[in-house]
Amino acid sequence: MTQFRKLLPALAALLFATPAQAGVLVDDLQLEWDFFIQGGGVLVDSVGLSVRAGAAPEGVVTVDALPERSQITQAFLYWMTIGGTGDSEVVFQGQPLIGEEVGQCEDTCWSIGFNHSYRADVSSIVTEPGDYTISGVGDGVWNGNNTDGQGATILTFYDDPSADNAGFIKIYEGARDNMPGPSTVEPTFTVFDGLYVPVDPVRAQMTWSVGDAQPFADGQTTFEGAVLAVDNFDDTEEGPLWDTDEWDVLPYMYVGMTEATAGLSVGGTSNDCLAIGLAILEYDLPCDFDGDGDGSGICADCDDTDPLIDGTDLDGDGRTTCTGDCDDTDPDIYEGHVEICDGKDNNCDGIVPADEETDVDGDGWTACDDCDDEVAAINPDAFELCANGLDDDCDSFIDEADCSDGDDDDAADDDDDAADDDDAAGDDDDDGGGGGVRRGSGCGCDQGSGSAGGFAGLLLLLGVLRRRS
C-alpha cells in the first residue's frame, strides 16, 4: 500500500545568479515524499555527469536488484546542473524528458552560476532493475562559462505485500549549498519531523545525495548528534562530482521519537563545496504491530493511531475506511459511489445534495423523487388524473390509460361537489363520468348502466299510467 502525501542566494554569486522561478525553492530542501510501503523502501542509484571534471556527457545509472518478492511501484529521476540558466530537458533511455525544477542554490566554488535541481516521473520507463542511460544534462561540452551537469539520481520505490515489515519513508528534495568559509560555519541540518515510532524499528537508514563532491575535507555527517562519518563525500563510486551515501542509523532511533535531525558540518578553508539535492530517511516497523488496538496491524491500517480507521471492510462494498469508505456500515456509501436519492452522502464528499433533504410542498417526498415539489398533489404516490395534462404520479407519462376521474376509492361516498348522493342507488355517484377506479385497475367504467336503468324506469311508469286509465 502506497500513500503519498505531496530561499536567497549569497552576494558572492549575484554576478551569475538567475532569479528563481515562481514556486522554486532557493537554497533549501523541502519535504516531497512522506508515506509507507508494506515490505518496501527506496533504492537510490546515481551517476556523475560533470564534463568539466572529466565525465562523459552520457552516463549510466544502474538500478540495483530488488529484495526477493518485491516489485517496483514508482520511479523518479533527479538531476542537477550548474552554471548558465539550468537545463530542464534531458534524454533518458532514449526518450526526451522535461523535468520540474525543484530547487536552486548558489554557485559551489566554480564562479559560473547557480545550481539547478530537477525531477521527472520515470515510472513508465524504470520497471525493473538494470542499466538506464541519461544524457543532455547540461550542454555536454565545457567552455568554462556555460551549463554543465553535476549528476543524476534515480529513486526507485518498491514494495512487497507479503513482507513482515512496513517501510516508512521521508524524502526532502531541492538544492542547498554547504559552503566552507574562513572560519567555522553553521552546519546544514535537515529535520525529519512527523515520525511515527511506536515500537522499535527493525531497520533505519539515512541517505544524502550531493553534487560537487570531491576528495576534500567535508566536515562531519551526523544523525541525532551522533557522528556517522568524517570527510565522507567524494566522487569515487558514482563518477566525477556526484555522490550518494547511505548510513545505518538504527542505533539512534527510539520508541516515541517524533523527529530526527541529520546534519552536514563545514568549516575551515579546505572543506569541500557541496550542493545537496536529496536527504532521505527510511525506517521499518513490524507489520503485526497494532498501535490503536483496532485489530488491524500497521501494514493493513492506514492510520494506526485511530481505532476507527483500519483495513477491514465491514459492509462488503470493497472499500475500507483506509480506502475511502466514510461509513463502513453502509454498502451504498464510499468514495466514488454515485449519489442516489436516499438522504445520504453516498460519495463521501461531506455533502448531502440539497434535493435529497428538501420537501417544499410538504407531501412527504423530497425534491429528488418529486417531479414537482411545489404541488403537493403531484408525487410518486398520487393518482394519475385524466385529461389534466399533468404527470400526477411522476412516472414520466401524462394522462395514461389507467388514469382516474378523481374518485379516490370504491367506497359508497359522494365524490362530486354537491352535498348529496345524486343517483338512486345510494352508492358512489360515478354514473355520468366514467369509472372511478384506482390507478392500475384499468378504466373499467360501465357506460351502459345508467341508460339501462333509465329505460326500466320508463317502462314502469307506462305500466302505472295504463292501470289508471
Side-chain angles (χ1 to χ4, degrees):
M1 179 187 303
T2 303
Q3 297 175 331
F4 291 90
R5 295 225 236 211
K6 202 187 155 41
L7 296 168
L8 295 172
L11 291 176
L14 284 180
L15 179 62
F16 308 100
T18 56
Q21 300 176 9
V24 176
L25 197 65
V26 177
D27 197 24
D28 208 349
L29 303 176
Q30 63 183 352
L31 182 65
E32 175 61 24
W33 312 107
D34 185 7
F35 58 97
F36 79 89
I37 307 179
Q38 182 174 347
V42 57
L43 299 177
V44 186
D45 300 294
S46 304
V47 64
L49 296 168
S50 298
V51 175
R52 67 189 185 283
E58 177 177 283
V60 175
V61 181
T62 300
V63 175
D64 293 335
L66 298 173
E68 186 179 0
R69 303 175 304 179
S70 296
Q71 55 191 4
I72 293 175
T73 58
Q74 285 186 301
F76 292 86
L77 174 68
Y78 285 84
W79 66 94
M80 185 181 289
T81 65
I82 185 172
T85 58
D87 190 357
S88 63
E89 299 182 15
V90 299
V91 177
F92 182 71
Q93 211 56 358
Q95 300 184 33
L97 296 178
I98 298 178
E100 175 185 355
E101 186 168 10
V102 297
Q104 298 180 7
C105 68
E106 66 177 277
D107 183 289
T108 41
C109 303
W110 290 89
S111 299
I112 56 176
F114 266 34
N115 289 279
H116 299 257
S117 185
Y118 303 90
R119 167 177 29 89
D121 188 339
V122 291
S123 301
S124 63
I125 304 173
V126 179
T127 58
E128 59 185 4
D131 293 341
Y132 294 87
T133 61
I134 179 171
S135 61
V137 179
D139 295 334
V141 295
W142 178 241
N143 62 21
N145 193 30
N146 60 333
T147 301
D148 191 22
Q150 292 278 43
T153 295
I154 299 176
L155 299 187
T156 307
F157 300 102
Y158 63 91
D159 71 358
D160 177 7
S162 64
D164 297 328
N165 299 321
F168 288 75
I169 303 172
K170 286 182 178 287
I171 298 177
Y172 282 72
E173 67 177 19
R176 184 170 183 174
D177 64 82
N178 206 42
M179 302 287 288
S183 60
T184 300
V185 180
E186 284 294 320
T188 295
F189 288 116
T190 295
V191 178
F192 298 92
D193 57 7
L195 302 183
Y196 178 60
V197 191
V199 65
D200 286 326
V202 296
R203 183 183 74 96
Q205 181 173 282
M206 172 69 207
T207 302
W208 291 98
S209 190
V210 303
D212 260 321
Q214 300 181 66
F216 299 126
D218 297 317
Q220 296 178 336
T221 303
T222 63
F223 186 84
E224 284 294 281
V227 177
L228 303 177
V230 178
D231 297 341
N232 187 75
F233 295 105
D234 55 43
D235 55 8
T236 57
E237 183 175 349
E238 285 82 5
L241 306 186
W242 193 256
D243 197 10
T244 297
D245 285 332
E246 304 164 343
W247 294 269
D248 177 11
V249 294
L250 183 60
Y252 315 108
M253 302 284 289
Y254 56 89
V255 174
M257 70 187 304
T258 58
E259 66 177 33
T261 301
L264 296 177
S265 66
V266 294
T269 58
S270 62
N271 285 39
D272 204 356
C273 301
L274 301 177
I276 305 168
L278 292 167
I280 304 170
L281 174 63
E282 50 180 322
Y283 59 97
D284 293 350
L285 302 180
C287 275
D288 58 2
F289 178 78
D290 181 10
D292 53 17
D294 59 7
S296 292
I298 197 169
C299 284
D301 196 339
C302 57
D303 188 344
D304 202 42
T305 65
D306 188 340
L308 299 179
I309 301 178
D310 60 32
T312 305
D313 181 14
L314 298 177
D315 54 16
D317 58 8
R319 301 294 185 91
T320 70
T321 50
C322 279
T323 58
D325 196 337
C326 57
D327 185 347
D328 205 32
T329 64
D330 190 329
D332 286 328
I333 297 178
Y334 55 81
E335 286 184 7
H337 195 292
V338 295
E339 281 291 346
I340 56 180
C341 188
D342 59 359
K344 304 174 183 178
D345 176 18
N346 302 102
N347 62 6
C348 292
D349 66 353
I351 301 172
V352 176
D355 64 356
E356 295 186 30
E357 300 182 308
T358 304
D359 180 12
V360 175
D361 55 17
D363 60 3
W365 290 87
T366 57
C368 60
D369 272 333
D370 196 336
C371 56
D372 189 338
D373 200 35
E374 296 183 355
V375 180
I378 297 178
N379 60 64
D381 265 351
F383 288 91
E384 182 68 26
L385 300 180
C386 300
N388 67 350
L390 300 174
D391 177 16
D392 305 278
D393 59 1
C394 293
D395 66 353
S396 301
F397 296 99
I398 297 174
D399 299 339
E400 59 261 40
D402 62 348
C403 63
S404 169
D405 65 351
D407 181 19
D408 57 0
D409 57 25
D410 295 326
D413 58 354
D414 188 12
D415 287 334
D416 62 12
D417 294 332
D420 59 351
D421 185 18
D422 56 357
D423 63 13
D427 61 357
D428 214 4
D429 59 342
D430 297 328
D431 300 336
V437 295
R438 187 177 294 274
R439 182 171 74 89
S441 63
C443 199
C445 314
D446 186 356
Q447 299 292 338
S449 62
S451 299
F455 182 69
L458 177 59
L459 291 178
L460 178 60
L461 178 61
L462 290 175
V464 173
L465 292 177
R466 183 174 298 172
R467 290 194 190 101
R468 288 181 179 179
S469 62

